[in-house]
Amino acid sequence: MNVVDSMGHERDLRVGKQVLDIASHCQGELTAIVHEKVSGSGGSARYRRLAFIKAPSGVEWSTVPENLELVP
């Protein structure tokens, strides 16, 4: 897993690059991977990873990072 900054953004070499979301078969620029708190507090907090993608049309969506493939 990559380093996560204080805002919950994961440092990933794919950010800023074109990716394919294999779940939706859509392509766009990976804008961020974030760790989002989903439950708990303190030591029992649970997080999920979300990748945010922006298509050339301006449409943005999220998916799990495991669904991403770099576009050659």
Side-chain angles (χ1 to χ4, degrees):
M1 186 176 299
N2 293 326
V3 176
V4 179
D5 68 18
S6 62
M7 297 296 291
H9 288 241
E10 187 174 304
R11 293 184 196 151
D12 190 292
L13 296 175
R14 299 172 294 178
V15 172
K17 296 193 165 88
Q18 290 293 306
V19 294
L20 173 67
D21 174 9
I22 60 174
S24 67
H25 304 286
C26 294
Q27 183 175 320
E29 179 184 338
L30 178 61
T31 58
I33 296 178
V34 299
H35 288 224
E36 178 181 68
K37 187 174 180 180
V38 291
S39 67
S41 62
S44 66
R46 290 188 1 183
Y47 295 84
R48 68 175 171 186
R49 294 170 68 225
L50 281 177
F52 290 88
I53 302 123
K54 184 175 183 178
S57 65
V59 173
E60 298 182 65
W61 71 96
S62 63
T63 189
V64 293
E66 292 76 19
N67 284 347
L68 301 179
E69 293 181 352
L70 278 174
V71 174

